[in-house]
Amino acid sequence: MPAIAKAQPNIALIKYWGKRDSELNLPAVGSISITLSELFTEMSVELDDSFSEDQLAVNGAQNRSLLPRVQRCLDSVLGDQRQFARVASRSNFPIAAGLASSASAFSALVIAAAGAGGQVRDTAVLANLAGRTSGSAARSLYGGFVELENHADEVKVASIRAADEWPLRVVVAVTSSGPKATSSGDAMEISRNTSPFYSRWVEQQPQDLDIARVAINDRDFEKLATIAEHNCLKMHSVMWASRPPVMFWNSATIECMQVVRELRAQGVAVFFTIDAGPQLKAVCLPADESRVSDALAAIAGVSDIMLSGLGEGAALVRNTCIQ
Ligand code: DP6
């Protein structure tokens, strides 16, 4: 019987950008994110002595290019003497397009792998194992508002406010659903090695984390909006100043940013954030959601709008849509 886990992507408000140890995939900075409720990845892992090799299917198609990363993640949970595995994942949103699909995929994978191996593992341990494969995945083990702190040779991840304590809404404006040209991991290394702004980025992160933590604690939307947009634009400035420059935005991304800023100037409670891809995520109060989504949907170049609230961390599930 396969073990099946379900996980939601998370969107960083104070971003992880840069690695202090690329071997162990340890982040250079702490980060704060929100876990979504409506977007998800379901991951099934089956171990059996009769299998002659590992197999991975992504959204119904065999996938060999992602297999090595999945194998390393399985080894980290089950040990490299493990049985061969049949792994299948299905997401209800575009993958590898800057929508945090690796976060939902690898957080689901560590839970499903532990389940398939009959292991009972602490969430903190699984978060570290997920983070070794993809830094942002460590946060998707937890729900609501999540902080990742850097410790000596590990990360410490915790929910700092539950999803229902401040039920923000997220409007995702999809401006391109194709895979991105540069992976986050490669782009981070280019930034670390070449951007003149990288060291200042790392130095300033504790201040941004402090401000965001207080804003979340006080449910101060304006304060969170200001620091989240600043942190996002600072991360992208680090990338733009890299050699070669790393640019994930397209013209629709910029138009979405302008629309969000205009709405905010008109008193709408909304701010934007953008990750390693051209999609814009607008975070708003529930009363403003339809106004925000209508305004973003009207932009030429926005091909799809996805709506979500804040959700729970990754977990084993019984029911599945995986065939
Ligand atoms: C811009 O977690 O995808 O989304 O550790 O190399 O897999 P790897 O990177 P990944 O990077 C996420 C970068 C980001 C910001 C964030 O989620 O904090």
Side-chain angles (χ1 to χ4, degrees), residues 10 12 14-17 19 25 31 69 102 131 133-137 139 184-185 188 235 275-276:
N10 67 77
I14 304 297
K15 311 283 189 191
Y16 148 48
W17 195 253
K19 300 171 197 283
N25 205 46
S31 52
R69 208 168 171 201
S102 65
T133 310
S134 183
S136 55
R139 299 185 309 238
S184 314
M188 283 182 206
M235 177 186 78
D275 291 302

Side-chain angles (χ1 to χ4, degrees), residues 17-195:
W17 195 253
K19 300 171 197 283
R20 75 190 140 95
D21 184 330
S22 43
E23 258 329 272
L24 295 176
N25 205 46
L26 288 169
V29 291
S31 52
I32 292 180
S33 59
I34 43 179
T35 302
L36 302 185
S37 57
E38 302 307 311
L39 279 53
F40 64 85
T41 299
E42 281 198 332
M43 182 74 65
S44 125
V45 175
E46 187 170 13
L47 303 167
D48 199 297
D49 284 334
S50 68
F51 299 158
S52 54
E53 58 174 5
D54 291 325
Q55 279 186 22
L56 170 67
V58 177
N59 290 334
Q62 290 300 310
N63 186 313
R64 294 208 73 83
S65 64
L66 291 173
L67 185 60
R69 208 168 171 201
V70 165
Q71 286 172 314
R72 279 197 302 277
C73 185
L74 291 171
D75 291 350
S76 75
V77 178
L78 300 165
D80 53 12
Q81 301 302 309
R82 64 178 170 79
Q83 295 161 290
F84 288 118
R86 202 169 273 171
V87 180
S89 90
R90 194 174 286 279
S91 299
N92 69 344
F93 62 97
I95 61 166
L99 284 171
S101 56
S102 65
S104 52
F106 290 110
S107 56
L109 184 60
V110 291
I111 291 190
Q119 299 180 352
V120 180
R121 305 285 287 266
D122 211 59
T123 308
V125 173
L126 290 177
N128 269 276
L129 294 176
R132 297 274 158 108
T133 310
S134 183
S136 55
R139 299 185 309 238
S140 271
L141 274 288
Y142 299 83
F145 296 79
V146 177
E147 177 161 11
L148 180 149
E149 287 174 28
N150 255 330
H151 285 246
D153 56 355
E154 59 169 13
V155 295
K156 187 167 163 260
V157 194
S159 178
I160 56 172
R161 197 173 251 297
D164 59 1
E165 287 175 352
W166 198 16
L168 301 181
R169 299 289 302 175
V170 181
V171 179
V172 180
V174 178
T175 65
S176 164
S177 56
K180 55 194 177 196
T182 315
S183 73
S184 314
D186 289 349
M188 283 182 206
E189 286 300 272
I190 296 171
S191 294
R192 184 170 68 84
N193 291 323
T194 69
S195 178

